[in-house]
């Protein structure tokens, strides 16, 4: 018996011959079992190896994903260079949560402030457009709390009667104090001058002799004089040097070393000072174009362009202010301004709602003069401002009213030699000086200033004027404006009647019209409707006609009967 078989059958006698077949069968069965056992064992080993390999791959991926957390940083003896990942994780999470809470709270406060600003602007009829617009002022005290305004300036405002900011002042002042450029449109008499002078005075802080620091450009000499006077009132008690660029100043030999804090001028005079007298505007930090729509007219556009180029300071802040702001002016403004804020008070290009407007049909030129005299005979409530379309007509109407025992005066661009001579005769006391051309010009300007001052002082009841003083002139107590001659544009109408009803006061505007003016009546009726005044409904049914400087040839102003030949020779 084989060794393996003997082990199986130890102690038993087994007849191999007798049971040879069975034994052989039994022995094969055992070997096959062994083979299958070995095969199954190999399969188990292989499957276990595969599982171990898969686990190793998964572990490697897991380690790679969490490498920073899994590998702790080593510590250097004496101090810890890095904190372990296990201890840093909760600290980082807490810091992130705190930061997120802080940011969300700030964002919430920011949106709440935007909502409050929107409601406040809606209440005061303020319309703005632009990016990151500063919040409007609630009162003048905020100038100190938000922007550090000096007590001296606030005291001057209080003494001048400024109790609360007007809508244009509420928004334009913060915009300019934030260093943003601005173009603003607000009704006449709404306080635009303070809206740009106050930020300039606050930004300049102290007087300096370092060149010209701020420039204000006005379309007329009268408005430039008024602006200079108002600037000096606001800066009372300070050492700011505020200068009006007069003709005498321009006649200096050299202006290259001229310096002041605020310079006020008309466009042509400033252009001549820069070109011929070498005035340096390269240090100007603030440029204001007052009554900008008038300044951007074709006659003044080249002068304004040269002034803007001369103000070459890269950090300059430009601003435009007017009661009317046509679309083409906005387009021009955007070409010279950067990231500007647009501020509109009320409806754009509309008359003030504090002025009661009325249309009166007079039929003819004779009818207008009769209607004016009848109105004065019934109720003359001075001061009254009368607008005509030309200098000649201003003289004619003055001649007619001066015989009616009315304190009347006229203001226009030129002055006759006789008037200038009489002026110097009074001033010089008959010294016998031979007058030159420059003397006549000085006399003309002085008489214009005197006419305005007398009207303000109440010495003159009725002032006859052309559109030269319709722009920006502030006559605080004008009770009535009479458009004796029909205005030549919608803007001219808005600026004319805006001399009344200023600073919250009420006023009246009467427009006389004849048959020649009827085709353009619809334009005025639309303005009356938009500003809330009563208007003739039939005028809105007229055919719409686009006017371009409506200045018809009118008959001379006179009640004296004339024949046809004289009338044709004396049309204005």
């Amino acid at each position: 018996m084989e060794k393996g078989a003997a082990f199986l059958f130890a102690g038993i006698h087994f007849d191999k011959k007798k049971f040879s077949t069975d034994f052989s069968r039994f022995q094969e069965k055992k070997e096959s079992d062994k083979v299958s056992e070995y095969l199954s064992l190999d399969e188990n080993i292989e499957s276990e190896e595969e599982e171990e390999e898969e686990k190793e791959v998964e572990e490697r991926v897991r380690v790679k994903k969490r490498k920073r957390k899994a590998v702790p940083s080593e510590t250097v003896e004496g101090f810890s260079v890095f904190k372990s990942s296990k201890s840093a994780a909760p600290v980082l999470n807490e810091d992130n949560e705190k930061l997120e809470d802080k940011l969300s709270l700030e964002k919430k406060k920011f949106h709440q402030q935007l909502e409050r600003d929107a409601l406040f602007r809606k209440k005061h009829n303020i319309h703005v457009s632009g990016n990151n617009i500063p919040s409007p002022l609630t009162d003048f005290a905020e100038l100190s709390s938000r922007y550090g305004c000096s007590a001296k300036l606030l005291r001057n405002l209080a003494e001048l009667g400024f109790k609360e900011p007007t809508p244009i002042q509420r928004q334009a002042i913060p915009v300019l104090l934030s260093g943003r450029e601005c173009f603003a449109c607000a009704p006449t008499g709404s306080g635009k001058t303070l809206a740009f002078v106050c930020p300039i005075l606050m930004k300049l802080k102290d007087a300096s002799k370092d060149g010209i620091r701020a420039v204000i450009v006005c379309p007329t000499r009268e408005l430039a004089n008024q602006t200079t006077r108002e600037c000096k009132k606001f800066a009372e008690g300070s050492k700011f040097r505020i200068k009006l660029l007069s003709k005498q100043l321009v006649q200096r030999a050299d202006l290259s070393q001229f310096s002041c804090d605020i310079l006020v001028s008309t466009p042509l005079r400033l252009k001549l000072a820069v070109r011929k007298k070498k005035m340096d505007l390269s240090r100007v930090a603030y440029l204001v174009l007052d009554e900008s729509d008038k300044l951007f007219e074709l006659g003044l556009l080249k002068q304004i362009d040269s002034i803007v180029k001369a103000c070459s300071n890269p950090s300059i802040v430009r601003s435009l202010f007017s009661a009317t702001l046509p679309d083409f002016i906005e387009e021009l403004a955007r070409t010279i301004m950067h990231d500007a804020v647009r501020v509109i008070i009320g409806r754009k290009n509309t008359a003030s709602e504090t002025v009661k407007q009325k249309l009166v049909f007079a039929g003819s030129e004779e009818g207008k003069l009769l209607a004016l005299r009848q109105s004065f005979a019934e109720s003359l409530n001075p001061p009254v401002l009368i607008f005509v379309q030309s200098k000649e007509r201003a003289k004619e109407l003055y001649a007619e009213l001066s015989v009616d025992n009315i304190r009347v005066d006229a203001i226009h661009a030129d002055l006759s030699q006789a008037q200038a001579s009489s002026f110097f005769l009074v001033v010089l006391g008959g010294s016998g000086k031979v007058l030159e051309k420059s003397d006549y010009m000085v006399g003309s300007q002085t008489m214009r200033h005197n006419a305005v001052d007398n009207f303000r002082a109440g010495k003159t009841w009725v002032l006859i004027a052309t559109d030269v003083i319709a722009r920006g002139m502030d006559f605080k107590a004008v009770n009535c404006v009479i458009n004796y001659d029909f205005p030549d544009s919608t803007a001219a109408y808005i600026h004319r009647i805006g001399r009344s009803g200023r600073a919250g006061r009420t006023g009246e505007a009467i427009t006389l019209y004849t048959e020649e003016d009827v085709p353009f009546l619809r334009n005025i009726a639309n303005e009356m409707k938009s500003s809330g005044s009563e208007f003739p409904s039939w005028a809105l049914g007229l055919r719409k006609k686009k006017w371009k400087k409506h200045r018809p040839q009118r008959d001379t102003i006179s009640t004296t009967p004339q024949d046809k030949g004289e009338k044709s020779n004396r049309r204005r």
Side-chain angles (χ1 to χ4, degrees):
M1 185 179 288
E2 297 180 0
K3 188 175 181 180
F7 174 77
L8 290 173
F9 300 105
I12 299 173
H13 178 72
F14 193 84
D15 191 353
K16 290 178 64 176
K17 291 182 179 179
K18 185 178 180 180
F19 300 98
S20 59
T21 54
D22 295 329
F23 182 78
S24 61
R25 287 170 58 191
F26 179 81
Q27 193 173 15
E28 289 175 2
K29 177 78 180 259
K30 274 186 66 179
E31 291 177 355
S32 63
D33 287 343
K34 286 181 179 181
V35 172
S36 61
E37 185 178 351
Y38 291 143
L39 290 174
S40 63
L41 182 61
D42 291 338
E43 288 177 356
N44 291 335
I45 293 171
E46 289 177 358
S47 63
E48 287 177 0
E49 289 176 351
E50 289 176 356
E51 288 177 0
E52 287 178 358
E53 289 178 356
E54 289 176 358
K55 287 181 180 179
E56 288 178 358
V57 172
E58 289 177 357
E59 185 67 23
R60 281 195 222 104
V61 173
R62 212 175 290 116
V63 168
K64 190 174 182 180
K65 287 182 178 179
R66 299 179 299 174
K67 187 174 181 180
R68 291 187 178 180
K69 293 184 178 181
V71 181
S73 302
E74 295 181 1
T75 57
V76 179
E77 186 178 352
F79 64 94
S80 176
V81 179
F82 302 105
K83 292 183 178 179
S84 64
S85 60
K86 291 182 180 180
S87 61
V91 176
L92 289 174
N93 290 335
E94 289 178 6
D95 291 343
N96 289 336
E97 288 176 2
K98 288 180 181 179
L99 182 60
E100 289 176 1
D101 291 342
K102 185 178 180 181
L103 291 175
S104 62
L105 183 62
E106 290 179 355
K107 190 175 181 181
K108 186 178 180 180
K109 288 182 179 179
F110 174 73
H111 286 292
Q112 287 176 346
Q113 184 63 45
L114 288 180
E115 290 177 5
R116 285 194 294 269
D117 291 347
L119 292 173
F120 187 83
R121 291 187 183 112
K122 184 177 181 181
K123 177 183 176 182
H124 294 280
N125 215 0
I126 302 172
H127 309 281
V128 294
S129 59
N131 301 318
N132 301 323
I133 301 171
S135 300
L137 293 175
T138 56
D139 52 39
F140 282 122
E142 281 193 26
L143 289 176
S144 178
S145 60
R146 284 172 58 182
Y147 300 103
C149 178
S150 66
K152 189 181 297 182
L153 179 55
L154 290 177
R155 185 170 59 251
N156 289 342
L157 295 180
E159 290 176 354
L160 292 170
F162 292 93
K163 297 179 180 179
E164 286 190 0
T166 62
I168 185 62
Q169 293 164 3
R170 291 181 189 275
Q171 188 60 74
I173 291 177
V175 168
L176 294 176
L177 286 176
S178 301
R180 302 285 298 280
E181 297 189 324
C182 170
F183 53 95
C185 178
T188 52
S190 59
K192 292 187 288 294
T193 302
L194 179 61
F196 59 77
V197 173
C198 179
I200 291 176
L201 293 175
M202 289 177 63
K203 283 288 189 178
L204 294 181
K205 293 184 179 179
D206 298 312
S208 172
K209 294 184 179 180
D210 190 18
I212 300 172
R213 304 168 69 193
V215 170
I216 302 173
V217 183
C218 306
T220 63
R221 290 193 292 267
E222 286 74 20
L223 182 55
N225 283 326
Q226 175 183 289
T227 303
T228 305
R229 185 170 56 251
E230 294 298 312
C231 286
K232 290 180 179 179
K233 287 180 182 179
F234 298 143
E236 183 72 28
S238 66
K239 296 182 179 180
F240 285 119
R241 292 174 303 143
I242 300 168
K243 299 289 185 180
L244 174 67
L245 189 60
S246 61
K247 187 173 182 181
Q248 292 79 7
L249 191 59
V250 174
Q251 288 175 345
R252 285 187 182 182
D254 186 16
L255 292 174
S256 59
Q257 301 300 318
F258 177 79
S259 65
C260 67
D261 295 299
I262 300 177
L263 180 67
V264 186
S265 176
T266 53
L268 180 58
R269 193 163 284 173
L270 185 56
K271 177 186 175 182
L272 292 176
V274 171
R275 190 179 67 182
K276 294 185 177 181
K277 303 297 181 179
K278 300 179 180 179
M279 178 176 278
D280 183 15
L281 300 181
S282 62
R283 297 181 181 179
V284 173
Y286 303 95
L287 173 64
V288 179
L289 302 180
D290 194 14
E291 301 297 337
S292 53
D293 60 329
K294 185 70 175 177
L295 293 174
F296 278 98
E297 289 183 353
L298 291 178
L300 301 175
L301 188 56
K302 290 183 178 179
Q303 300 168 18
I304 295 299
D305 187 51
S306 64
I307 293 170
V308 171
K309 288 180 180 178
C311 298
S312 56
N313 188 343
S315 60
I316 189 171
V317 176
R318 307 178 186 89
S319 57
L320 282 69
F321 286 81
S322 184
T324 52
L325 197 65
D327 293 338
F328 80 94
I329 298 295
E330 285 195 37
E331 293 175 4
L332 286 173
R334 293 181 192 280
T335 61
I336 65 170
M337 303 175 82
H338 173 69
D339 193 24
V341 177
R342 179 177 182 261
V343 181
I344 307 294
I345 306 301
R347 290 188 59 185
K348 184 182 172 185
N349 301 334
T350 56
S352 174
E353 296 180 358
T354 60
V355 180
K356 182 182 177 182
Q357 303 166 57
K358 185 165 64 173
L359 288 169
V360 176
F361 178 64
S364 62
E365 290 301 316
E366 292 86 352
K368 287 201 293 188
L369 186 56
L370 291 172
L372 183 63
R373 280 181 165 150
Q374 183 179 356
S375 175
F376 285 170
E378 291 176 355
S379 61
L380 175 59
N381 186 20
V384 176
L385 193 56
I386 302 177
F387 284 103
V388 292
Q389 73 179 28
S390 66
K391 295 173 287 187
E392 292 78 15
R393 292 178 64 78
K395 297 173 188 176
E396 291 170 357
L397 185 58
Y398 171 77
E400 289 291 330
L401 295 182
S402 59
V403 299
D404 291 346
N405 198 25
I406 296 174
R407 295 181 184 176
V408 63
D409 203 349
I411 179 171
H412 45 79
D414 61 354
L415 193 67
S416 67
Q417 183 172 336
Q419 289 173 307
S421 299
S422 62
F423 168 76
F424 276 104
L425 191 62
V426 174
V427 174
L428 300 175
S431 63
K433 175 186 175 182
V434 178
L435 301 180
E436 299 178 357
K437 184 179 179 181
S438 60
D439 294 324
Y440 290 118
M441 295 181 68
V442 171
S444 174
Q445 293 177 23
T446 305
M447 291 193 70
R448 285 173 64 176
H449 297 162
N450 290 342
V452 172
D453 292 340
N454 290 336
F455 187 62
R456 282 198 172 101
K459 297 178 181 179
T460 301
W461 291 355
V462 178
L463 183 63
I464 304 168
T466 57
D467 287 326
V468 68
I469 65 168
R471 291 283 179 161
M473 292 298 291
D474 185 21
F475 301 111
K476 290 184 172 59
V478 172
N479 292 317
C480 182
V481 170
I482 298 176
N483 289 317
Y484 189 87
D485 288 337
F486 205 78
D488 60 10
S489 66
T490 304
Y493 176 77
I494 292 172
H495 284 278
R496 281 183 178 186
I497 70 172
R499 299 315 100 199
S500 179
R502 299 179 71 82
R505 300 179 180 87
T506 58
E508 184 181 13
I510 300 172
T511 301
L512 305 176
Y513 68 97
T514 64
E515 290 289 349
E516 292 177 299
D517 305 317
V518 170
F520 304 95
L521 202 60
R522 178 175 173 175
N523 300 313
I524 301 300
N526 282 329
E527 287 302 318
M528 296 173 69
K529 179 182 178 182
S530 63
S531 58
S533 292
E534 294 183 4
F535 61 94
S537 56
W538 58 267
L540 297 179
L542 295 173
R543 183 179 177 183
K544 190 174 182 179
K545 187 173 182 180
K546 185 178 180 181
W547 62 19
K548 291 184 178 180
K549 296 298 180 184
H550 170 61
R551 292 191 177 185
Q553 291 292 321
R554 302 182 186 273
D555 292 336
T556 184
I557 300 175
S558 176
T559 52
T560 306
Q562 299 164 0
D563 58 30
K564 293 183 179 179
E566 283 185 81
K567 282 188 178 183
S568 61
N569 292 331
R570 298 186 61 187
R571 292 175 71 86
R572 294 285 184 267

